[in-house]
Amino acid sequence: MLFDTHAHLNLPQFADDLDDVIERAKRAGVSEIVVVGFDEKTIERALELVDRYSCLYAAIGYHPVDAIEMKGEHLSMLERLSSHPKVVALGEMGLDYHWDKSPKDVQKDVFRKQIRLAKKVNMPIIIHNRNADDDVIQILEEERADTVGGIMHCFSGDVEMAKRCLEMNFYISLGGPVTFKNAHVPKEVAAYVPLDRLLIETDCPYLAPHPHRGKRNEPAYVKLVAETIAEIKGIDLDELAAITTANAKKIFRIN
Protein backbone atom coordinates (compact mmCIF):
# COMPACT_ATOMS: atom_id res chain seq x y z
CA MET A 1 0.00 0.00 0.00
CA LEU A 2 1.11 3.54 -0.78
CA PHE A 3 1.10 6.61 1.47
CA ASP A 4 0.71 10.09 -0.09
CA THR A 5 2.40 12.23 2.56
CA HIS A 6 1.40 15.62 1.12
CA ALA A 7 -1.85 16.48 -0.63
CA HIS A 8 -4.13 19.49 -0.84
CA LEU A 9 -7.50 17.82 -1.21
CA ASN A 10 -8.81 20.79 0.78
CA LEU A 11 -8.47 23.11 -2.23
CA PRO A 12 -11.29 24.14 -4.62
CA GLN A 13 -9.80 22.01 -7.43
CA PHE A 14 -11.28 18.96 -5.68
CA ALA A 15 -14.62 20.42 -4.62
CA ASP A 16 -16.66 18.71 -7.33
CA ASP A 17 -15.30 15.15 -7.40
CA LEU A 18 -13.52 14.42 -4.13
CA ASP A 19 -15.27 11.09 -3.59
CA ASP A 20 -14.14 9.94 -7.03
CA VAL A 21 -10.58 11.18 -6.40
CA ILE A 22 -10.36 9.21 -3.16
CA GLU A 23 -11.84 6.12 -4.79
CA ARG A 24 -9.27 6.29 -7.60
CA ALA A 25 -6.53 6.60 -5.00
CA LYS A 26 -7.74 3.48 -3.22
CA ARG A 27 -7.86 1.56 -6.51
CA ALA A 28 -4.26 2.64 -7.17
CA GLY A 29 -3.23 1.16 -3.81
CA VAL A 30 -3.08 4.36 -1.75
CA SER A 31 -4.04 3.54 1.82
CA GLU A 32 -3.37 6.86 3.59
CA ILE A 33 -3.15 10.52 2.59
CA VAL A 34 -2.07 13.54 4.62
CA VAL A 35 -4.09 16.66 3.75
CA VAL A 36 -2.07 19.81 4.42
CA GLY A 37 -3.69 23.03 5.60
CA PHE A 38 -1.58 26.15 5.19
CA ASP A 39 -3.82 29.02 6.36
CA GLU A 40 -6.97 29.38 8.46
CA LYS A 41 -9.41 28.45 5.67
CA THR A 42 -7.51 25.41 4.38
CA ILE A 43 -6.84 24.14 7.92
CA GLU A 44 -10.56 24.25 8.68
CA ARG A 45 -11.32 22.36 5.47
CA ALA A 46 -8.59 19.77 6.15
CA LEU A 47 -10.10 18.97 9.52
CA GLU A 48 -13.56 18.62 7.98
CA LEU A 49 -12.16 16.09 5.53
CA VAL A 50 -10.23 13.96 8.04
CA ASP A 51 -13.36 13.67 10.14
CA ARG A 52 -15.26 12.42 7.08
CA TYR A 53 -12.75 10.02 5.48
CA SER A 54 -10.97 7.33 7.49
CA CYS A 55 -7.97 7.24 5.11
CA LEU A 56 -7.13 10.92 5.58
CA TYR A 57 -4.92 12.64 8.17
CA ALA A 58 -4.08 16.32 8.53
CA ALA A 59 -1.06 18.57 8.88
CA ILE A 60 -1.67 22.17 9.94
CA GLY A 61 0.53 25.23 9.65
CA TYR A 62 1.16 28.55 7.93
CA HIS A 63 2.80 28.52 4.51
CA PRO A 64 5.61 31.07 4.13
CA VAL A 65 3.75 32.83 1.32
CA ASP A 66 0.89 33.39 3.80
CA ALA A 67 3.16 34.20 6.75
CA ILE A 68 2.19 37.87 6.69
CA GLU A 69 -1.37 36.87 7.60
CA MET A 70 -0.45 34.83 10.69
CA LYS A 71 -1.25 36.56 13.98
CA GLY A 72 -0.87 35.48 17.58
CA GLU A 73 -4.35 34.00 17.62
CA HIS A 74 -3.45 31.78 14.67
CA LEU A 75 -0.47 30.37 16.54
CA SER A 76 -2.80 29.65 19.47
CA MET A 77 -5.20 27.99 17.03
CA LEU A 78 -2.42 25.71 15.78
CA GLU A 79 -1.54 24.75 19.33
CA ARG A 80 -5.17 24.00 20.18
CA LEU A 81 -5.81 21.97 17.02
CA SER A 82 -2.56 20.02 17.33
CA SER A 83 -4.32 17.80 19.88
CA HIS A 84 -6.88 16.63 17.30
CA PRO A 85 -6.44 12.85 17.04
CA LYS A 86 -5.92 12.96 13.26
CA VAL A 87 -3.51 15.90 13.15
CA VAL A 88 -0.12 14.24 12.62
CA ALA A 89 2.27 17.14 11.90
CA LEU A 90 2.69 20.90 11.94
CA GLY A 91 3.23 22.55 8.55
CA GLU A 92 3.75 23.18 5.90
CA MET A 93 6.08 25.91 7.13
CA GLY A 94 9.37 27.32 5.91
CA LEU A 95 10.65 29.92 3.46
CA ASP A 96 9.65 30.83 -0.09
CA TYR A 97 11.77 33.43 -1.86
CA HIS A 98 10.06 32.94 -5.23
CA TRP A 99 6.87 34.81 -4.37
CA ASP A 100 7.08 38.21 -2.67
CA LYS A 101 3.74 38.35 -0.81
CA SER A 102 5.41 37.97 2.61
CA PRO A 103 8.68 39.81 3.39
CA LYS A 104 11.64 37.58 4.23
CA ASP A 105 11.91 38.81 7.82
CA VAL A 106 8.22 38.00 8.40
CA GLN A 107 8.65 34.54 6.87
CA LYS A 108 11.63 33.82 9.10
CA ASP A 109 9.81 34.96 12.24
CA VAL A 110 6.73 32.87 11.49
CA PHE A 111 8.91 29.87 10.62
CA ARG A 112 10.76 30.09 13.93
CA LYS A 113 7.54 30.46 15.92
CA GLN A 114 6.08 27.34 14.33
CA ILE A 115 9.22 25.30 14.99
CA ARG A 116 9.10 26.36 18.63
CA LEU A 117 5.44 25.39 18.82
CA ALA A 118 6.24 21.97 17.32
CA LYS A 119 8.86 21.44 20.01
CA LYS A 120 6.35 22.49 22.66
CA VAL A 121 3.67 20.05 21.48
CA ASN A 122 6.23 17.42 20.35
CA MET A 123 5.14 17.06 16.74
CA PRO A 124 7.13 16.59 13.51
CA ILE A 125 7.22 19.45 11.03
CA ILE A 126 6.74 19.64 7.27
CA ILE A 127 9.11 22.03 5.53
CA HIS A 128 8.39 24.09 2.42
CA ASN A 129 11.56 25.46 0.83
CA ARG A 130 11.74 27.42 -2.40
CA ASN A 131 14.93 29.23 -3.38
CA ALA A 132 15.95 29.53 0.27
CA ASP A 133 18.24 26.56 0.99
CA ASP A 134 20.83 28.26 3.18
CA ASP A 135 18.33 30.22 5.28
CA VAL A 136 16.11 27.16 5.81
CA ILE A 137 19.08 25.10 7.01
CA GLN A 138 20.30 27.91 9.25
CA ILE A 139 16.93 28.32 10.97
CA LEU A 140 16.43 24.58 11.39
CA GLU A 141 19.88 24.32 12.98
CA GLU A 142 19.49 27.39 15.22
CA GLU A 143 16.06 26.30 16.43
CA ARG A 144 17.24 22.70 17.02
CA ALA A 145 14.47 21.34 14.83
CA ASP A 146 16.27 18.00 14.86
CA THR A 147 14.67 17.36 18.25
CA VAL A 148 11.28 16.88 16.57
CA GLY A 149 12.41 16.04 13.03
CA GLY A 150 10.10 16.03 10.09
CA ILE A 151 9.85 16.07 6.32
CA MET A 152 11.53 18.10 3.60
CA HIS A 153 8.43 18.27 1.43
CA CYS A 154 8.66 18.07 -2.35
CA PHE A 155 12.42 18.17 -2.01
CA SER A 156 14.04 20.20 -4.80
CA GLY A 157 17.61 20.46 -3.53
CA ASP A 158 20.69 18.53 -4.57
CA VAL A 159 22.45 15.60 -2.93
CA GLU A 160 24.53 17.88 -0.68
CA MET A 161 21.36 19.60 0.57
CA ALA A 162 19.74 16.22 1.15
CA LYS A 163 22.75 15.11 3.20
CA ARG A 164 22.44 18.17 5.46
CA CYS A 165 18.73 17.53 5.98
CA LEU A 166 19.27 13.85 6.77
CA GLU A 167 21.85 14.83 9.39
CA MET A 168 19.16 16.97 11.07
CA ASN A 169 16.74 14.07 11.49
CA PHE A 170 14.57 14.86 8.45
CA TYR A 171 13.02 12.58 5.89
CA ILE A 172 13.25 13.43 2.19
CA SER A 173 9.94 13.39 0.32
CA LEU A 174 9.89 13.23 -3.47
CA GLY A 175 6.99 13.97 -5.80
CA GLY A 176 6.12 14.35 -9.45
CA PRO A 177 9.35 16.07 -10.61
CA VAL A 178 11.35 12.86 -10.05
CA THR A 179 9.39 11.36 -12.96
CA PHE A 180 10.25 14.14 -15.42
CA LYS A 181 12.61 12.90 -18.13
CA ASN A 182 15.03 15.83 -17.78
CA ALA A 183 15.01 15.83 -13.95
CA HIS A 184 18.57 14.68 -13.34
CA VAL A 185 19.00 16.16 -9.85
CA PRO A 186 15.82 14.65 -8.31
CA LYS A 187 16.83 11.27 -9.71
CA GLU A 188 20.30 11.65 -8.16
CA VAL A 189 18.65 12.48 -4.83
CA ALA A 190 16.34 9.47 -5.12
CA ALA A 191 19.38 7.26 -5.69
CA TYR A 192 21.27 8.81 -2.76
CA VAL A 193 18.68 8.95 0.04
CA PRO A 194 18.60 5.76 2.16
CA LEU A 195 15.37 3.80 1.82
CA ASP A 196 14.59 4.20 5.51
CA ARG A 197 14.52 8.02 5.17
CA LEU A 198 12.53 8.28 1.96
CA LEU A 199 8.91 9.35 1.50
CA ILE A 200 6.65 9.91 -1.50
CA GLU A 201 3.97 12.51 -2.17
CA THR A 202 1.92 14.22 -4.85
CA ASP A 203 1.53 17.82 -3.57
CA CYS A 204 -1.71 17.62 -5.54
CA PRO A 205 -3.28 19.43 -7.32
CA TYR A 206 0.22 20.66 -8.26
CA LEU A 207 3.25 19.00 -9.89
CA ALA A 208 1.54 16.09 -11.61
CA PRO A 209 4.00 13.35 -12.61
CA HIS A 210 4.71 12.22 -16.15
CA PRO A 211 2.61 11.50 -18.24
CA HIS A 212 0.08 13.83 -16.58
CA ARG A 213 2.44 16.81 -16.34
CA GLY A 214 0.57 20.11 -16.61
CA LYS A 215 -2.76 18.60 -15.56
CA ARG A 216 -4.43 18.40 -12.15
CA ASN A 217 -2.49 16.06 -9.90
CA GLU A 218 -4.26 13.65 -7.52
CA PRO A 219 -3.23 11.04 -4.92
CA ALA A 220 -3.62 8.06 -7.29
CA TYR A 221 -0.63 9.41 -9.21
CA VAL A 222 1.69 8.84 -6.26
CA LYS A 223 2.01 5.33 -7.69
CA LEU A 224 3.88 6.81 -10.68
CA VAL A 225 6.32 8.50 -8.29
CA ALA A 226 6.82 5.21 -6.46
CA GLU A 227 7.37 3.29 -9.70
CA THR A 228 10.06 5.74 -10.83
CA ILE A 229 11.92 5.63 -7.50
CA ALA A 230 11.68 1.83 -7.34
CA GLU A 231 13.29 1.65 -10.77
CA ILE A 232 16.06 4.04 -9.69
CA LYS A 233 16.65 2.00 -6.52
CA GLY A 234 16.57 -1.30 -8.37
CA ILE A 235 13.79 -2.79 -6.23
CA ASP A 236 10.23 -3.78 -6.99
CA LEU A 237 7.27 -1.50 -6.45
CA ASP A 238 5.82 -3.53 -3.58
CA GLU A 239 9.03 -3.22 -1.58
CA LEU A 240 9.31 0.52 -2.21
CA ALA A 241 5.64 0.96 -1.24
CA ALA A 242 6.02 -1.04 1.97
CA ILE A 243 9.15 0.83 3.06
CA THR A 244 7.89 4.35 2.32
CA THR A 245 4.54 3.62 3.96
CA ALA A 246 6.29 2.32 7.08
CA ASN A 247 8.47 5.44 7.08
CA ALA A 248 5.41 7.69 6.85
CA LYS A 249 3.65 5.90 9.68
CA LYS A 250 6.78 6.20 11.80
CA ILE A 251 7.29 9.94 11.34
CA PHE A 252 3.55 10.65 11.70
CA ARG A 253 3.21 8.21 14.62
CA ILE A 254 0.34 6.32 13.04
CA ASN A 255 -0.14 2.81 14.43
Side-chain angles (χ1 to χ4, degrees):
M1 302 300 281
L2 299 156
F3 196 129
D4 184 357
T5 61
H6 199 109
H8 296 290
L9 298 178
N10 45 348
L11 293 187
Q13 288 93 325
F14 296 105
D16 296 332
D17 65 342
L18 184 57
D19 285 341
D20 293 338
V21 167
I22 290 177
E23 184 57 36
R24 282 195 293 273
K26 290 179 178 178
R27 289 202 300 269
V30 180
S31 56
E32 287 96 4
I33 304 164
V34 170
V35 180
V36 180
F38 51 83
D39 60 14
E40 188 170 7
K41 184 177 180 180
T42 57
I43 289 169
E44 180 180 348
R45 176 65 173 159
L47 294 177
E48 288 176 7
L49 294 180
V50 301
D51 286 338
R52 188 188 313 169
Y53 297 96
S54 61
C55 63
L56 302 185
Y57 295 86
I60 57 172
Y62 262 74
H63 193 287
V65 172
D66 301 297
I68 197 166
E69 298 172 4
M70 196 186 91
K71 312 299 182 190
E73 61 263 29
H74 295 126
L75 197 66
S76 298
M77 175 191 74
L78 293 177
E79 182 171 0
R80 183 179 75 255
L81 294 177
S82 68
S83 63
H84 186 291
K86 295 191 79 178
V87 170
V88 293
L90 294 186
E92 60 191 283
M93 64 180 76
L95 302 175
D96 190 315
Y97 292 169
H98 177 75
W99 305 107
D100 61 0
K101 178 182 172 185
S102 295
K104 290 181 180 179
D105 60 332
V106 173
Q107 291 190 39
K108 291 177 180 179
D109 180 60
V110 167
F111 187 17
R112 290 182 187 275
K113 286 177 177 175
Q114 291 184 91
I115 295 172
R116 292 168 189 170
L117 174 60
K119 292 165 69 176
K120 180 179 179 181
V121 299
N122 190 30
M123 296 192 84
I125 56 180
I126 297 175
I127 304 301
H128 173 102
N129 168 33
R130 190 167 185 185
N131 302 344
D133 291 3
D134 290 341
D135 286 354
V136 165
I137 292 291
Q138 180 180 349
I139 289 174
L140 291 174
E141 288 178 345
E142 290 177 355
E143 296 294 337
R144 289 303 311 275
D146 61 294
T147 59
V148 288
I151 300 168
M152 303 305 293
H153 136 69
C154 203
F155 186 80
S156 60
D158 59 12
V159 166
E160 184 57 35
M161 176 72 171
K163 181 181 179 182
R164 296 174 74 184
C165 295
L166 291 169
E167 289 171 348
M168 286 192 296
N169 194 28
F170 280 80
Y171 288 73
I172 304 296
S173 184
L174 298 174
V178 77
T179 70
F180 300 164
K181 292 180 180 178
N182 60 347
H184 303 299
V185 174
K187 294 181 193 299
E188 290 172 0
V189 169
Y192 170 76
V193 175
L195 279 168
D196 65 353
R197 302 292 289 283
L198 193 61
L199 298 170
I200 54 176
E201 64 170 87
T202 57
D203 197 22
C204 65
Y206 313 112
L207 296 174
H210 177 79
H212 305 287
R213 190 173 182 178
K215 301 176 182 178
R216 184 188 73 169
N217 200 2
E218 59 178 79
Y221 298 164
V222 79
K223 185 176 182 180
L224 297 168
V225 176
E227 287 172 345
T228 297
I229 296 173
E231 184 177 345
I232 291 169
K233 290 289 195 185
I235 61 177
D236 64 37
L237 175 62
D238 287 346
E239 184 178 359
L240 190 283
I243 292 170
T244 53
T245 295
N247 292 345
K249 290 184 175 182
K250 181 177 180 180
I251 186 64
F252 292 132
R253 303 169 192 166
I254 297 171
N255 294 324

